[in-house]
Amino acid sequence: MQLDGSVCLVTGASGGIGRALACALAAEGAHLILSGRDEARLAETVDAVDTSRCLACYGGDLRDATTLNHLAQLAARHEASVLFNVSGANQLGLFESASDEDIEALIGINLVAPMQLTRRLLPLLRARPQAAIVNVGSAFGAIGHAGYVNYCASKFGLRGFSEALSRELADCAVRVIHVAPRATRTAMNSAVATRLNQVLGNAEDPPDVVAQAVLAAVRGNRKRIAVGWPERFFIRLNQMLPGVVDRALGGKLMLVKQTLQSAGAQE
Ligand SMILES: NC(=O)c1ccc[n+]([C@@H]2O[C@H](COP(=O)([O-])OP(=O)(O)OC[C@H]3O[C@@H](n4cnc5c(N)ncnc54)[C@H](OP(=O)(O)O)[C@@H]3O)[C@@H](O)[C@H]2O)c1
């Protein structure tokens, strides 16, 4: 798909991956509608991209219908052809310690909001000669992991949504792309999450590596990509031989619990 000259709506643009993606899209010649909650950080993203590429900016909570409706109006006004659902949040801690509100909040931002925004934009995207919906999931959307139960549930849901919608739209020009980054160096990962990654030996990518992988997926007509090795291998292994991954991760459960305990963490 040609990104040069296209209009792209990017959620999560005040965050690490969203900002890197906005910069990469602008460099590619795309025009941008940017969204995030923190208006100061959103303004920093606008400063980081070529300002002439930025058509509109909107700060608001995506769990709020007013934000979704406003973004849909902006997308219609500027004839957007690509939606990047990047916004998201994480929760690290044992499932027993999570409240009902924690569960609702995380499923709300990681799964419900991208679905509701996508639904609002679909008639517009269908009317374009070429269009795409890019959902930024996670390797934890294909591998269940202790300490990240709510996050995994939300990202497994996003992957299911992407696959089912892609198949439902197979007879039109709207492509649905699911991208699964591994751990990435952004504000999403607290000090405890970063320590846990170190303890478990999980590599962290810089956000621009993820941004380039997203662009490559869009250009290369890919429906699903996972970023990083050996995560790509473990995703396949988990699909084919989940018992092997049960045993491998089971051996690390004590490390997860010890790291959470030592941090007194329920984030
Ligand atoms: N970092 C990782 O290790 C990693 C790994 C795999 C996948 N991912 C996924 O990559 C995506 C981007 O994450 P990131 O690493 O760039 O994290 P980040 O730097 O924390 O950025 C998260 C973005 O989501 C926005 N957001 C969060 N809650 C929101 C809400 N209720 N309404 C509107 N916007 C909201 C944030 O807005 P404000 O900051 O303005 O509130 C921010 O722009 C997420 O979907 C994440 O799950 C991240």
Side-chain angles (χ1 to χ4, degrees):
M1 182 177 180
Q2 188 74 9
L3 285 163
D4 186 10
S6 67
V7 175
C8 303
L9 167 53
V10 183
T11 72
S14 48
I17 292 175
R19 181 173 300 167
L21 183 60
C23 292
L25 286 166
E28 199 76 7
H31 302 283
L32 304 171
I33 302 167
L34 301 176
S35 153
R37 251 182 333 186
D38 183 322
E39 298 198 11
R41 287 220 302 268
L42 203 51
E44 284 169 20
T45 300
V46 176
D47 287 344
V49 301
D50 175 353
T51 322
S52 67
R53 295 268 150 214
C54 192
L55 299 172
C57 228
Y58 185 75
D61 194 317
L62 286 166
R63 289 167 299 183
D64 181 347
T66 312
T67 304
L68 298 173
N69 292 337
H70 196 91
L71 288 176
Q73 281 163 12
L74 284 174
R77 187 180 313 150
H78 295 288
E79 299 187 330
S81 60
V82 194
L83 166 62
F84 290 92
N85 283 311
V86 182
S87 60
N90 199 352
Q91 285 170 5
L92 172 58
L94 297 181
F95 182 62
E96 264 183 76
S97 324
S99 65
D100 287 351
E101 291 74 22
D102 291 336
I103 295 170
E104 273 179 32
L106 204 66
I107 303 288
I109 184 57
N110 287 357
L111 177 59
V112 178
M115 290 177 74
Q116 291 181 337
L117 186 58
T118 299
R119 191 183 61 74
R120 280 167 173 75
L121 260 64
L122 253 184
L124 167 78
L125 297 177
R126 270 182 178 284
R128 311 290 302 157
Q130 270 197 317
I133 298 155
V134 182
N135 293 325
V136 176
S138 166
F140 283 175
I143 301 176
H145 199 287
Y148 289 100
V149 172
N150 294 344
Y151 186 71
C152 289
S154 68
K155 293 293 187 177
F156 266 70
L158 188 69
R159 184 166 61 87
F161 166 61
S162 307
E163 186 173 281
L165 186 65
S166 167
R167 290 173 182 168
E168 189 168 297
L169 298 176
D171 59 355
C172 77
V174 184
R175 293 191 295 114
V176 183
I177 299 166
H178 179 262
V179 179
R182 63 178 175 184
T184 308
R185 229 166 286 129
T186 70
M188 174 169 287
N189 290 313
S190 63
V192 187
T194 302
R195 192 173 332 140
L196 185 57
N197 281 332
Q198 286 163 354
V199 166
L200 297 176
N202 296 337
E204 278 189 353
D205 289 318
D208 44 312
V209 166
V210 178
Q212 289 304 328
V214 172
L215 254 56
V218 176
R219 283 195 217 102
N221 203 13
R222 305 276 302 275
K223 284 187 182 164
R224 44 182 85 80
I225 63 156
V227 184
W229 181 268
E231 286 75 4
R232 264 200 303 277
F233 168 72
F234 276 111
I235 288 171
R236 288 283 168 89
L237 188 64
N238 196 43
Q239 282 159 353
M240 291 185 297
L241 297 168
V244 174
V245 179
D246 286 347
R247 285 191 288 281
L249 292 181
K252 294 184 169 185
L253 179 58
M254 193 56 79
L255 283 175
V256 174
K257 290 190 169 177
Q258 280 169 353
T259 307
L260 294 181
Q261 247 167 18
S262 69
Q266 172 60 53
E267 297 176 44

